[in-house]
Amino acid sequence: MNRKKNWERLRQETFDICIIGAGASGAGAALDAALRGYRVALIDRGDFAGETSSRSTKLIHGGVRYLEQAIKKLDLAQLRQVRHGLAERRTVIRNAPHLAHPLAILTPVFSWFEGMYMTIGLSLYDFIAGHDAFPKGRWLNQVQALEKSPMLTRQMHSAVLYYDGQFNDARYALALAHSADEASAAVVNYAAVTGFGREKGQLKTAVVEDQLTGEIINVRATVFLNCTGPYADGIRLLANPDLEPRIRPSKGVHIVLPRETLQSDYAILIPKTADGRVVFAIPFGDKVFVGTTDNDYSDLAQEPVLEPDEVDYLLETVKPYLAKTPLGAEVQAGFGGIRPLIVSSRADTKTLLRDHEVEHDSESGLLSLLGGKWTTYRLMAQDAVDRAGELLKRTVPGRTETHYLIGGEAYRFEDWQVLQTQYGLPADVCQHLMQTYGNRAERVAQLTSKQSLLAEKLTDSQPFIKAEVVYQVREEMAVTLRDVLARRWRLELSNWQLTAQLTPQVARLMANELAWDDAYRIEQIQAYQNLLESFIRQAGLTANQSAVETS
């Protein structure tokens, strides 16, 4: 992806569809539309998946909670949502197998009746999923459950095992955007829509400001598609100030604990918390993510951050399910995201449906893709582009269901051994490259042949090598430190202290590629380290090490 070239395309070309927002739904819609042959622009005021789409629980699922509610309330809409989710999780994994895979999940229960209830529910979940590649669940006795997850409490009666999917959400969204770019979409991050130009009330241009240079251009398109998630009302009201708000934002946070918290590849589902939620404890790399919460959130101008009461709530929630209670001092990081729940008459965010809607404002012509969830991003995108095709008076069938994303085609994890033989990199590095870049891992490794210093790890405790930063700048449109450390890698999400320590090394590599002078490089390091320190402070955690190096 070449940002400079694509920015020039935005300036010069006229597009069929300009998609605003490059998270899951926007990047998915860009790929869908480009594969149909439409002329497509994809822009975002920040990075790809810079907001909600990089801060999920990293699960691809039909929704166990939705299934329970659907049965209890005889709610066919929720049952349909579960069925769609279960069908799509297979597609999500099939199209990017390096970024997504099945995940075993254990639900500890404390009585025979509870075990039977969960077994019946999860058997129905498997039945709805049909004959897919996921293993089927089963009821385990206590001994069997402890063999799989030794840190579970001995107070449990037994545990029910089932399977859903796990994925790297930020890199999946990046793969969608990158795939759209290669399908001829003009893809640009850090490009903010600040207004619209109209003819007879209908949107004809978007006023777009380059957030890196300050340059302002007018992007011409026939259809403008708003895919900005929880921020959708902002674009809707920019297009038509008379519209009623449709989004009710909900904040969800996760805390990050050491891998030793579970000592297992099996996740844990806590099926019902004191206030009626569902919480997961999920192994992800060398950490365990615990979440999520679900509370109204009103200040969209502020990034959602982890707060002390949320840390306490999640630690208290997992306490009855583990033999050893995790302590606040063990929390190494956390992250918050905002769900784009569609306004409903229902009273609280826990019961709001996360299904989606494609809205057409006839007065301005704006299309908005509202609501939804990660697992069904492809169906959401398909519905939105179908509607755009109708407005263009040129309908073309979608074909994303079997389209491999960047890195996915002919992917074989075992090929890490070929990388190791050819480039002499350590085994953990080669495995990491395969799971991060898929069949493009060799493109990263090739950089080490041309410049041996790029084969060096940034730290002994992680498999990240310097060549990745160069590749991410040249090929994946990384332009800020956070682009690399929070999204193309997921280090910011898992370890704030280590992220701060590695920031200067990453900054030096980026400076060489992006022609940063020393003053700008040091300014970027300090700003990012200050941000990380603010996360630690706002979460009520104590920094046991400081990030002192800035040069």
Side-chain angles (χ1 to χ4, degrees):
M1 293 190 290
N2 186 307
R3 189 175 185 276
K4 183 178 179 181
K5 176 183 173 183
N6 285 356
W7 178 260
E8 283 304 309
R9 288 186 61 195
L10 293 183
R11 184 204 307 277
Q12 296 173 12
E13 295 181 21
T14 298
F15 298 93
D16 294 318
I17 307 172
C18 175
I19 299 167
I20 306 164
S25 58
L31 176 59
D32 185 308
L35 290 177
R36 299 192 202 199
Y38 298 127
R39 294 167 297 174
V40 180
L42 173 66
I43 56 178
D44 195 293
R45 68 179 183 182
D47 189 26
F48 310 111
E51 302 286 351
T52 302
S53 293
S54 62
R55 303 176 190 185
S56 74
T57 308
K58 325 303 176 204
L59 284 179
I60 315 157
H61 62 99
V64 172
R65 185 182 78 182
Y66 306 131
L67 177 62
E68 184 178 31
Q69 291 181 5
I71 293 171
K72 284 182 175 179
K73 300 177 182 179
L74 299 177
D75 189 332
L76 292 179
Q78 294 216 46
L79 191 60
R80 185 171 62 251
Q81 189 178 8
V82 172
R83 189 175 70 249
H84 286 162
L86 287 171
E88 284 302 300
R89 71 176 184 178
R90 178 173 59 241
T91 303
V92 170
I93 292 175
R94 182 260 178 208
N95 290 350
H98 57 305
L99 299 175
H101 56 85
L103 175 70
I105 304 174
L106 288 168
T107 304
V109 296
F110 295 88
S111 69
W112 180 90
F113 176 80
E114 190 181 0
M116 179 58 71
Y117 178 80
M118 291 299 300
T119 299
I120 292 171
L122 292 171
S123 295
L124 180 58
Y125 194 66
D126 282 343
F127 176 77
I128 296 171
H131 299 290
D132 59 17
F134 283 70
K136 299 304 178 186
R138 62 188 190 277
W139 193 358
L140 307 177
N141 62 36
Q142 189 193 79
V143 172
Q144 292 170 323
L146 290 173
E147 285 175 355
K148 298 183 183 306
S149 190
M151 299 305 289
L152 290 176
T153 176
R154 272 60 176 170
Q155 302 301 313
M156 68 177 173
H157 171 272
S158 51
V160 181
L161 169 66
Y162 79 104
Y163 291 81
D164 256 327
Q166 183 176 40
F167 75 136
N168 185 331
D169 53 6
R171 288 207 65 90
Y172 206 103
L174 175 66
L176 287 167
H178 200 163
S179 299
D181 179 274
E182 294 204 350
S184 80
V187 176
V188 180
N189 56 1
Y190 296 97
V193 173
T194 60
F196 289 104
R198 296 170 171 78
E199 288 180 16
K200 298 179 181 179
Q202 296 289 297
L203 305 183
K204 295 299 179 184
T205 62
V207 182
V208 178
E209 180 178 358
D210 188 329
Q211 300 297 283
L212 304 179
T213 67
E215 183 183 2
I216 296 173
I217 61 173
N218 290 317
V219 176
R220 299 178 298 276
T222 305
V223 175
F224 290 89
L225 173 58
N226 171 19
C227 293
T228 54
Y231 309 95
D233 282 337
I235 297 295
R236 292 173 69 248
L237 294 172
L238 201 60
N240 182 355
D242 295 330
L243 291 174
E244 291 292 324
R246 294 294 316 280
I247 298 298
R248 182 171 172 183
S250 167
K251 178 187 178 185
V253 302
H254 297 76
I255 59 173
V256 180
L257 296 165
R259 178 87 178 194
E260 295 71 42
T261 304
L262 294 182
Q263 291 185 19
S264 173
D265 292 329
Y266 288 69
I268 297 174
L269 164 65
I270 297 171
K272 192 165 186 181
T273 63
D275 53 356
R277 300 171 183 167
V278 170
V279 166
F280 291 91
I282 296 179
F284 191 89
D286 62 348
K287 298 291 184 289
V288 171
F289 292 171
V290 179
T292 178
T293 57
D294 194 344
N295 296 297
D296 280 324
Y297 192 72
S298 58
D299 192 359
L300 290 179
Q302 297 295 319
E303 178 175 347
V305 296
L306 184 64
E307 299 176 36
D309 61 328
E310 295 165 331
V311 174
D312 294 341
Y313 168 81
L314 290 171
L315 289 174
E316 281 297 312
T317 298
V318 299
K319 182 177 179 180
Y321 293 83
L322 297 176
K324 179 179 178 293
T325 304
L327 303 174
E330 296 177 67
V331 177
Q332 298 178 341
F335 54 96
I338 309 173
R339 300 180 188 88
L341 303 178
I342 301 176
V343 165
S344 162
S345 59
R346 302 184 187 190
D348 65 273
T349 58
K350 293 189 294 295
T351 58
L352 287 181
L353 264 180
R354 293 177 68 183
D355 216 345
H356 68 276
E357 176 185 332
V358 180
E359 175 195 74
H360 178 232
D361 172 37
S362 58
E363 189 170 323
S364 68
L366 180 71
L367 271 186
S368 293
L369 178 51
L370 307 175
K373 63 176 184 177
W374 238 121
T375 304
T376 54
Y377 85 86
R378 195 189 64 82
L379 292 181
M380 294 160 56
Q382 184 172 279
D383 288 350
V385 178
D386 283 348
R387 189 73 180 93
E390 292 171 8
L391 295 174
L392 291 167
K393 297 182 173 56
R394 182 158 57 95
T395 58
V396 181
R399 53 190 186 95
T400 53
E401 186 171 5
T402 57
H403 184 81
Y404 285 105
L405 303 187
I406 293 292
E409 190 168 6
Y411 168 75
R412 288 179 1 110
F413 174 65
E414 298 77 15
D415 287 344
W416 70 264
Q417 296 167 337
V418 178
L419 279 187
Q420 186 178 35
T421 300
Q422 290 183 348
Y423 297 96
L425 296 167
D428 65 331
V429 169
C430 295
Q431 291 169 9
H432 158 71
L433 293 179
M434 288 302 300
Q435 291 174 318
T436 305
Y437 307 95
N439 65 24
R440 302 210 169 182
E442 188 171 6
R443 298 192 184 190
V444 182
Q446 284 172 348
L447 295 172
T448 67
S449 296
K450 299 172 184 174
Q451 194 174 346
S452 60
L453 288 176
L454 295 180
E456 294 177 358
K457 285 186 177 184
L458 276 76
T459 176
D460 289 339
S461 66
Q462 297 290 335
F464 308 135
I465 59 172
K466 293 178 178 179
E468 293 180 78
V469 180
V470 175
Y471 180 84
Q472 289 164 8
V473 171
R474 292 180 184 176
E475 303 292 337
E476 297 183 341
M477 215 178 281
V479 293
T480 74
L481 293 169
R482 208 173 184 195
D483 293 348
V484 171
L485 287 157
R487 288 176 286 274
R488 282 147 191 81
W489 293 331
R490 309 313 316 277
L491 193 59
E492 182 195 297
L493 267 66
S494 61
N495 192 323
W496 286 329
Q497 294 291 345
L498 183 57
T499 301
Q501 289 169 17
L502 299 189
T503 295
Q505 289 188 66
V506 173
R508 281 194 288 272
L509 291 161
M510 295 187 75
N512 289 337
E513 292 295 314
L514 296 169
W516 294 351
D517 61 29
D518 286 347
Y520 184 80
R521 174 175 56 83
I522 292 171
E523 175 189 318
Q524 294 305 301
I525 294 169
Q526 291 176 338
Y528 190 37
Q529 289 180 336
N530 288 341
L531 179 68
L532 294 166
E533 288 172 10
S534 76
F535 291 160
I536 295 170
R537 185 173 60 253
Q538 290 173 92
L541 307 178
T542 303
N544 51 28
Q545 326 174 241
S546 60
V548 293
E549 184 192 3
T550 61
S551 60

